[in-house]
């Protein structure tokens, strides 16, 4: 949906009456950022410049809003995103070693993406299923009790996705 097609008042009904026009504009901006990221898998600078013109919002303000939220990315991300949980339960059950296995296998560091764009490697504090430690998410799918065998299956899956 294009941003100009969104009618905030229609979307949120009478709640909109208590929102200032600034708050509504902020809501539109976040929605627009989400749509851009959905399309490109990150927020390309060119798209943010276009958005700035379209909404008549300074580019600095757009960056200020986008950097506030952890959900937005400013560099291209891989086709797959593996996220190793580094919370206490997972740490105790070998998350550090698992992270190193990913680094060695794909020759990237934490927060980096492979050259062929097949994988972005990330870490997270806790995904909320500590009983299944060590846990990773692959493209938002939770994989618990990660063994060597499961790790190898995940590697195969990532490599075959390209
Ligand atoms: S510490 Fe890893 S899921 Fe909670």
């Amino acid at each position: 949906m294009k941003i100009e097609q969104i009618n905030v008042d229609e979307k949120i009904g009478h709640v909109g009456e208590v929102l200032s026009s600034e708050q509504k504009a902020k809501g539109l901006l976040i929605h627009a950022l989400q749509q851009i990221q959905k399309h490109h898998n990150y927020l390309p600078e060119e798209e943010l410049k276009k958005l700035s013109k379209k909404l008549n919002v300074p580019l600095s303000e757009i960056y200020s809003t986008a950097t506030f939220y952890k959900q937005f990315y400013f560099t291209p991300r891989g086709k797959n995103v593996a996220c190793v949980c580094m919370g206490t339960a997972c740490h105790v059950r070998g998350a550090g070693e698992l992270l190193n296995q990913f680094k060695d296998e794909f020759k990237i560091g934490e927060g980096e993406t492979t050259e062929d764009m097949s994988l972005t490697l990330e870490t997270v504090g806790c995904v909320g299923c500590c009983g299944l430690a060590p846990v990773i998410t692959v493209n938002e799918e939770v994989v618990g009790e990660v063994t060597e065998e499961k790790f190898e299956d995940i590697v195969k899956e990532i490599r075959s996705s390209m």
Side-chain angles (χ1 to χ4, degrees), residues 85-91 125-131 133-135:
C85 177
M86 298 302 285
T88 306
C90 289
H91 176 75
C126 175
V127 292
C129 41
C130 311
V135 173

PDB file of all heavy atoms in Angstrom, residues 85-91 125-131 133-135, ligand 1:
ATOM      1  N   CYS A  85      21.003 -17.294  19.969  1.00  0.00           N
ATOM      2  CA  CYS A  85      20.622 -16.761  21.280  1.00  0.00           C
ATOM      3  C   CYS A  85      21.822 -16.818  22.213  1.00  0.00           C
ATOM      4  O   CYS A  85      22.424 -17.884  22.387  1.00  0.00           O
ATOM      5  CB  CYS A  85      19.455 -17.557  21.861  1.00  0.00           C
ATOM      6  SG  CYS A  85      19.025 -16.962  23.522  1.00  0.00           S
ATOM      7  N   MET A  86      22.160 -15.689  22.806  1.00  0.00           N
ATOM      8  CA  MET A  86      23.318 -15.609  23.704  1.00  0.00           C
ATOM      9  C   MET A  86      22.869 -15.357  25.151  1.00  0.00           C
ATOM     10  O   MET A  86      23.647 -14.909  25.982  1.00  0.00           O
ATOM     11  CB  MET A  86      24.268 -14.501  23.242  1.00  0.00           C
ATOM     12  CG  MET A  86      24.860 -14.720  21.863  1.00  0.00           C
ATOM     13  SD  MET A  86      25.793 -16.258  21.703  1.00  0.00           S
ATOM     14  CE  MET A  86      27.273 -15.818  22.601  1.00  0.00           C
ATOM     15  N   GLY A  87      21.589 -15.632  25.419  1.00  0.00           N
ATOM     16  CA  GLY A  87      21.089 -15.482  26.788  1.00  0.00           C
ATOM     17  C   GLY A  87      21.772 -16.487  27.717  1.00  0.00           C
ATOM     18  O   GLY A  87      22.466 -17.402  27.259  1.00  0.00           O
ATOM     19  N   THR A  88      21.542 -16.324  29.009  1.00  0.00           N
ATOM     20  CA  THR A  88      22.269 -17.132  30.001  1.00  0.00           C
ATOM     21  C   THR A  88      22.104 -18.642  29.771  1.00  0.00           C
ATOM     22  O   THR A  88      23.092 -19.377  29.736  1.00  0.00           O
ATOM     23  CB  THR A  88      21.789 -16.764  31.423  1.00  0.00           C
ATOM     24  OG1 THR A  88      21.925 -15.355  31.573  1.00  0.00           O
ATOM     25  CG2 THR A  88      22.607 -17.464  32.477  1.00  0.00           C
ATOM     26  N   ALA A  89      20.857 -19.093  29.626  1.00  0.00           N
ATOM     27  CA  ALA A  89      20.627 -20.533  29.473  1.00  0.00           C
ATOM     28  C   ALA A  89      21.337 -21.070  28.230  1.00  0.00           C
ATOM     29  O   ALA A  89      21.965 -22.132  28.261  1.00  0.00           O
ATOM     30  CB  ALA A  89      19.126 -20.814  29.395  1.00  0.00           C
ATOM     31  N   CYS A  90      21.262 -20.327  27.140  1.00  0.00           N
ATOM     32  CA  CYS A  90      21.901 -20.770  25.897  1.00  0.00           C
ATOM     33  C   CYS A  90      23.418 -20.661  26.012  1.00  0.00           C
ATOM     34  O   CYS A  90      24.149 -21.521  25.514  1.00  0.00           O
ATOM     35  CB  CYS A  90      21.367 -19.965  24.712  1.00  0.00           C
ATOM     36  SG  CYS A  90      19.654 -20.397  24.318  1.00  0.00           S
ATOM     37  N   HIS A  91      23.870 -19.612  26.671  1.00  0.00           N
ATOM     38  CA  HIS A  91      25.316 -19.434  26.863  1.00  0.00           C
ATOM     39  C   HIS A  91      25.891 -20.632  27.612  1.00  0.00           C
ATOM     40  O   HIS A  91      26.902 -21.210  27.199  1.00  0.00           O
ATOM     41  CB  HIS A  91      25.584 -18.133  27.634  1.00  0.00           C
ATOM     42  CG  HIS A  91      27.015 -17.918  27.961  1.00  0.00           C
ATOM     43  ND1 HIS A  91      27.934 -17.523  27.006  1.00  0.00           N
ATOM     44  CD2 HIS A  91      27.699 -18.073  29.106  1.00  0.00           C
ATOM     45  CE1 HIS A  91      29.126 -17.450  27.577  1.00  0.00           C
ATOM     46  NE2 HIS A  91      29.007 -17.769  28.846  1.00  0.00           N
ATOM     47  N   GLY A 125      19.496 -11.564  22.847  1.00  0.00           N
ATOM     48  CA  GLY A 125      19.619 -11.798  24.292  1.00  0.00           C
ATOM     49  C   GLY A 125      18.917 -13.053  24.780  1.00  0.00           C
ATOM     50  O   GLY A 125      19.487 -13.872  25.473  1.00  0.00           O
ATOM     51  N   CYS A 126      17.676 -13.230  24.430  1.00  0.00           N
ATOM     52  CA  CYS A 126      16.904 -14.425  24.824  1.00  0.00           C
ATOM     53  C   CYS A 126      15.660 -14.445  23.944  1.00  0.00           C
ATOM     54  O   CYS A 126      15.006 -13.427  23.773  1.00  0.00           O
ATOM     55  CB  CYS A 126      16.498 -14.356  26.298  1.00  0.00           C
ATOM     56  SG  CYS A 126      15.433 -15.717  26.831  1.00  0.00           S
ATOM     57  N   VAL A 127      15.353 -15.612  23.390  1.00  0.00           N
ATOM     58  CA  VAL A 127      14.156 -15.689  22.551  1.00  0.00           C
ATOM     59  C   VAL A 127      12.966 -16.273  23.309  1.00  0.00           C
ATOM     60  O   VAL A 127      11.903 -16.473  22.733  1.00  0.00           O
ATOM     61  CB  VAL A 127      14.411 -16.455  21.223  1.00  0.00           C
ATOM     62  CG1 VAL A 127      15.338 -15.681  20.331  1.00  0.00           C
ATOM     63  CG2 VAL A 127      14.937 -17.845  21.468  1.00  0.00           C
ATOM     64  N   GLY A 128      13.163 -16.557  24.584  1.00  0.00           N
ATOM     65  CA  GLY A 128      12.030 -16.946  25.424  1.00  0.00           C
ATOM     66  C   GLY A 128      11.720 -18.415  25.472  1.00  0.00           C
ATOM     67  O   GLY A 128      10.639 -18.793  25.913  1.00  0.00           O
ATOM     68  N   CYS A 129      12.621 -19.255  25.006  1.00  0.00           N
ATOM     69  CA  CYS A 129      12.381 -20.699  25.158  1.00  0.00           C
ATOM     70  C   CYS A 129      13.658 -21.342  25.681  1.00  0.00           C
ATOM     71  O   CYS A 129      14.236 -22.222  25.048  1.00  0.00           O
ATOM     72  CB  CYS A 129      11.870 -21.339  23.881  1.00  0.00           C
ATOM     73  SG  CYS A 129      12.650 -20.790  22.384  1.00  0.00           S
ATOM     74  N   CYS A 130      14.038 -20.872  26.856  1.00  0.00           N
ATOM     75  CA  CYS A 130      15.306 -21.271  27.482  1.00  0.00           C
ATOM     76  C   CYS A 130      15.392 -22.776  27.721  1.00  0.00           C
ATOM     77  O   CYS A 130      16.487 -23.333  27.741  1.00  0.00           O
ATOM     78  CB  CYS A 130      15.499 -20.515  28.793  1.00  0.00           C
ATOM     79  SG  CYS A 130      15.242 -18.743  28.641  1.00  0.00           S
ATOM     80  N   GLY A 131      14.248 -23.421  27.905  1.00  0.00           N
ATOM     81  CA  GLY A 131      14.242 -24.867  28.134  1.00  0.00           C
ATOM     82  C   GLY A 131      14.762 -25.643  26.940  1.00  0.00           C
ATOM     83  O   GLY A 131      15.084 -26.827  27.051  1.00  0.00           O
ATOM     84  N   ALA A 133      17.410 -24.651  25.153  1.00  0.00           N
ATOM     85  CA  ALA A 133      18.781 -24.174  24.883  1.00  0.00           C
ATOM     86  C   ALA A 133      19.719 -25.313  24.446  1.00  0.00           C
ATOM     87  O   ALA A 133      19.555 -26.439  24.932  1.00  0.00           O
ATOM     88  CB  ALA A 133      19.326 -23.520  26.150  1.00  0.00           C
ATOM     89  N   PRO A 134      20.654 -25.043  23.554  1.00  0.00           N
ATOM     90  CA  PRO A 134      20.873 -23.760  22.883  1.00  0.00           C
ATOM     91  C   PRO A 134      19.895 -23.555  21.724  1.00  0.00           C
ATOM     92  O   PRO A 134      19.537 -24.486  21.018  1.00  0.00           O
ATOM     93  CB  PRO A 134      22.312 -23.884  22.367  1.00  0.00           C
ATOM     94  CG  PRO A 134      22.507 -25.340  22.135  1.00  0.00           C
ATOM     95  CD  PRO A 134      21.670 -26.034  23.156  1.00  0.00           C
ATOM     96  N   VAL A 135      19.490 -22.308  21.563  1.00  0.00           N
ATOM     97  CA  VAL A 135      18.449 -21.969  20.597  1.00  0.00           C
ATOM     98  C   VAL A 135      18.991 -20.996  19.549  1.00  0.00           C
ATOM     99  O   VAL A 135      19.765 -20.093  19.865  1.00  0.00           O
ATOM    100  CB  VAL A 135      17.253 -21.294  21.329  1.00  0.00           C
ATOM    101  CG1 VAL A 135      16.227 -20.781  20.349  1.00  0.00           C
ATOM    102  CG2 VAL A 135      16.622 -22.246  22.323  1.00  0.00           C
TER     103      VAL A 135
HETATM  104  S1  LIG B   1      18.522 -17.849  26.943  1.00  0.00           S
HETATM  105 FE1  LIG B   1      18.284 -18.635  24.955  1.00  0.00          FE
HETATM  106  S2  LIG B   1      16.136 -18.839  24.812  1.00  0.00           S
HETATM  107 FE2  LIG B   1      16.415 -17.924  26.735  1.00  0.00          FE
END
